[in-house]
């Protein structure tokens, strides 16, 4: 997995846009279409909690899709996403879904997708190695998007826990970061 700890912020300069596109491609395995003016102020912070990659993104007016071919590596993981605020439109397998704040989903990035963020939105994305999920009884690949059907109070509790853990960043010791990554795996199992 090529995911590395990083923090980027997009401003309207050509250098900032070029750096943003490079980091999204290299560290996230994503192509990004954006509007330098409307997308300005977007931020992405990524780090590892044990084996789980965590991304906290504040995005606006952009579109993401996975890299194909030899440069593709993100298929080794399942993405689990929590929409904290705003909305995300996701197209996969000839279907389009709109997710609002509080929504959770799991997806296999080997299945091509397009993710659009039309307005300012905050998203937490977990990048979980498939091998860890297989050890917990998951299938090696997901055929389509999984949207959990949870009672609202359960969804709010799990979303709150994911958000709390994700906000810890790289501050705790390596031992605690590993433990927090394990807790995220347990939460995804529950969902």
């Amino acid at each position: 997995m090529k995911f590395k700890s990083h923090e980027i912020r997009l401003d309207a300069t050509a250098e900032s846009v070029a750096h943003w596109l490079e980091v999204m491609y290299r560290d996230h395995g994503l192509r990004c279409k954006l509007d330098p003016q409307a997308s300005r102020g977007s931020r992405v912070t990524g780090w590892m909690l044990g084996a789980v990659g965590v991304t906290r993104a504040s995005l606006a007016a952009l579109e993401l899709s996975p890299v194909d071919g030899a440069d593709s590596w993100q298929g080794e993981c399942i993405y689990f996403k929590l929409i904290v605020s705003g909305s995300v439109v996701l197209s996969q397998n000839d279907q389009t879904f709109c997710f609002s704040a509080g929504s959770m989903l799991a997806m296999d990035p080997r299945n091509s997708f397009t993710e659009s963020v039309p307005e300012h939105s905050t998203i937490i994305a977990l990048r979980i190695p498939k091998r860890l999920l297989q050890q917990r009884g998951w299938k090696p690949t997901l055929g389509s998007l999984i949207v959990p059907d949870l009672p609202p109070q359960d969804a709010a509790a799990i979303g709150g826990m994911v958000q709390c853990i994700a906000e810890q960043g790289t501050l705790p010791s390596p031992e605690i970061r590993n433990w927090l990554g394990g807790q995220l795996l347990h939460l995804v199992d529950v969902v």
Side-chain angles (χ1 to χ4, degrees):
M1 182 160 70
K2 296 181 183 179
F3 188 71
K4 300 174 189 169
S5 295
H6 60 280
E7 184 169 353
I8 55 174
R9 181 177 172 85
L10 183 64
D11 63 36
T13 66
E15 296 83 18
S16 176
V17 170
H19 180 65
W20 178 278
L21 295 175
E22 177 189 346
V23 171
M24 294 304 287
Y25 185 90
R26 181 191 66 220
D27 294 346
H28 290 272
L30 296 169
R31 295 187 192 284
C32 183
K33 294 180 184 175
L34 56 85
D35 177 318
Q37 293 301 319
S39 302
R40 186 175 49 185
S42 291
R43 295 184 321 273
V44 172
T45 305
W47 63 94
M48 298 298 294
L49 289 178
V52 177
V54 180
T55 301
R56 182 167 179 85
S58 178
L59 306 172
L62 52 77
E63 181 180 285
L64 303 167
S65 60
V67 172
D68 298 331
D71 288 338
S72 178
W73 58 268
Q74 75 279 24
E76 301 166 10
C77 300
I78 296 294
Y79 291 170
F80 177 85
K81 296 186 179 192
L82 169 66
I83 313 307
V84 177
S85 66
S87 64
V88 171
V89 177
L90 192 118
S91 298
Q92 188 177 51
N93 299 331
D94 297 323
Q95 294 183 305
T96 300
F97 307 90
C98 185
F99 298 100
S100 58
S103 297
M104 291 180 270
L105 60 118
M107 62 185 290
D108 189 337
R110 280 193 193 253
N111 301 325
S112 186
F113 67 89
T114 302
E115 183 174 339
S116 300
V117 183
E119 61 184 5
H120 179 77
S121 301
T122 302
I123 302 157
I124 295 172
L126 307 179
R127 189 173 281 98
I128 304 170
K130 288 180 179 177
R131 62 177 170 74
L132 295 179
L133 293 171
Q134 284 180 279
Q135 293 169 359
R136 295 168 172 266
W138 284 52
K139 294 178 183 177
T141 61
L142 299 179
S144 61
L145 193 66
I146 296 176
V147 180
D149 184 19
L150 296 170
Q153 63 274 21
D154 292 354
I158 291 170
M161 291 292 295
V162 169
Q163 193 171 351
C164 179
I165 292 171
E167 288 176 355
Q168 301 306 308
T170 58
L171 295 176
S173 67
E175 294 80 18
I176 294 299
R177 286 197 308 268
N178 283 333
W179 181 81
L180 289 170
Q183 297 310 303
L184 288 172
L185 282 171
H186 291 308
L187 287 170
V188 169
D189 262 349
V190 170
V191 173

